[in-house]
Each structure stands twice: as structure tokens, then as C-alpha cells.
Amino acid sequence: ISLASYPHIADHLMFIKSVSEGLRAAVYSISFFDDCSAHGGKEQIEFFSDLKDFYTGILKVYATVNGLRSVRKAIQVFGRDSITQGFVTDRSYRNLQAGTLFGGANEIVAQEVLDRLVNYKNGLLVESLVKQFASVDVYHAKSEAMSEAIGIWQDYIGGIIVLADDLKKDVGESNLQEEVDPRLSNLWASRIVQLFGDTIVAYHLISIG
């Protein structure tokens, strides 16, 4: 009997596959942003450089968190065989756990990404990303399943638009105060970055699908 015939195992395997392929495509896009910032005009250099840093920060947090989830799911699927020498799950888990601290702890990186998201030209990065995402048309889906997936993903985009507006309002209000209490944004930074990561990775999965 195939392991994939069990619904919960099929769900684990699909999560691992989608995270791996979506992240790979998203990381390739960073190379494209780097080329644009190196060879583009003055405005392109600034914009794509910031977009590259933005993607890098988000994917650093997103990849380590969801990579650890993928490894845990792999251990759940393959059991004790997954920690033998023939598998790489134990080494991958150690490397990913170390990755949550490399280049700054994930919580710090998430806060820095959030600050850049809000402060860069009053949210221009988010607006540009949303325009890019809007280029995906649900009517061009090759299957009913893909059409449903795009519809769910578009709900995520709507959430990002509302969230970005709220963040800009919060920054505008906090700038009127003598002191800014950063605890609220620190508390939610990792979850906000996770939302952006989900949306970006899903966009690249849809694009290659």
C-alpha cells in the first residue's frame, strides 16, 4: 500500500513539496531582482535593491520556520527510518534550526522587514507586489483545483491590502507621539512576515503551475 494513499500522509507530502518548490522559485526571483538593481536605471536600482532585501528578509524567516515544519512532517511520515544515515532529516533539522539565528534571530529579522515594509515610500513595495500578484487571472487556470487555489490565494492578498493600510495608519499615529511603544508590532511581526511569505510562495507556485 502506498504511503500517499493515507490522507494525512498525502497532506504532509504535499506540504513538503509545495514549500520546497515554491521557495526555490521565490529565491530564483531574488536573482532577477539583483540583476535589475545591477543593470537598471536609477529608479530601478533603488526599487529592485529594496525589493531584493525585502524578499530576502521574508524568505529567511519563512524558509527556516517552514523548513523545520517540513522536516518534522518528514519524520512523521517515515518514522525511525528518517533518522538513519540514509536520510538527511536530522542534519537538515540542525541546519535549519541554526538558520533561525544566522544573520540575526528570526524575531529581529521579522521586525526589520516589517519596518522596511511600512517605511519604504509609504508602502510602495507592498503596492508594487499587489500589482504583480493581480496579474494572475483565475480564468486562466488550467484546472478546477487551480482555480479554487487561486481564489483562496486572492483572499490572502485582500488580507495583505487591509493589513498594509492598518500598518501605515499605525505608523502615522505613532509619529505624532513622543514615544513609540514597539511591543505590539514586535509581537505580530513574525506572523505578518509568515502571511507575506505564504502569499509570495503561493504566487510562485501558481506561476510555475
Side-chain angles (χ1 to χ4, degrees):
I1 299 176
S2 170
L3 282 175
S5 64
Y6 296 96
H8 69 287
I9 292 181
D11 180 68
H12 289 338
L13 294 175
M14 185 57 67
F15 177 87
I16 295 169
K17 179 179 175 65
S18 59
V19 167
S20 175
E21 293 184 358
L23 273 171
R24 183 179 293 113
V27 169
Y28 288 159
S29 70
I30 296 177
S31 297
F32 171 73
F33 299 152
D34 189 49
D35 288 340
C36 291
S37 62
H39 305 291
K42 183 177 180 181
E43 292 184 0
Q44 286 183 316
I45 290 174
E46 181 181 5
F47 173 74
F48 281 105
S49 178
D50 282 305
L51 191 59
K52 178 185 69 174
D53 293 343
F54 179 60
Y55 253 57
T56 301
I58 287 178
L59 295 183
K60 186 270 182 184
V61 176
Y62 187 87
T64 51
V65 170
N66 289 282
L68 287 169
R69 289 178 62 191
S70 294
V71 172
R72 287 194 291 268
K73 288 178 181 294
I75 294 173
Q76 183 71 22
V77 170
F78 296 106
R80 65 181 183 181
D81 289 338
S82 64
I83 55 176
T84 61
Q85 290 185 348
F87 284 74
V88 296
T89 46
D90 57 339
R91 185 171 70 251
S92 297
Y93 195 91
R94 290 195 301 271
N95 291 340
L96 286 164
Q97 189 63 56
T100 63
L101 303 175
F102 180 76
N106 272 4
E107 294 80 5
I108 297 174
V109 174
Q111 183 59 46
E112 291 175 348
V113 170
L114 187 58
D115 291 341
R116 177 180 290 272
L117 167 70
V118 175
N119 294 327
Y120 179 75
K121 292 185 178 179
N122 197 30
L124 179 61
L125 276 175
V126 178
E127 293 177 6
S128 298
L129 284 175
V130 169
K131 288 180 181 178
Q132 181 181 359
F133 296 155
S135 65
V136 177
D137 191 340
V138 67
Y139 296 106
H140 293 164
K142 299 178 181 178
S143 66
E144 184 177 348
M146 177 63 78
S147 178
E148 293 177 359
I150 293 174
I152 295 171
W153 173 71
Q154 288 175 336
D155 289 338
Y156 274 69
I157 297 174
I160 282 181
I161 294 172
V162 173
L163 175 63
D165 288 340
D166 289 342
L167 290 174
K168 285 191 288 186
K169 290 177 183 177
D170 290 343
V171 170
E173 293 173 358
S174 65
N175 285 339
L176 301 177
Q177 302 172 6
E178 293 182 1
E179 295 183 3
V180 178
D181 187 349
R183 289 178 295 178
L184 185 60
S185 59
N186 284 337
L187 178 64
W188 294 104
S190 294
R191 295 188 181 184
I192 293 172
V193 168
Q194 177 74 22
L195 172 61
F196 271 90
D198 283 337
T199 309
I200 289 171
V201 168
Y203 168 77
H204 289 282
L205 275 173
I206 292 170
S207 298
I208 64 178

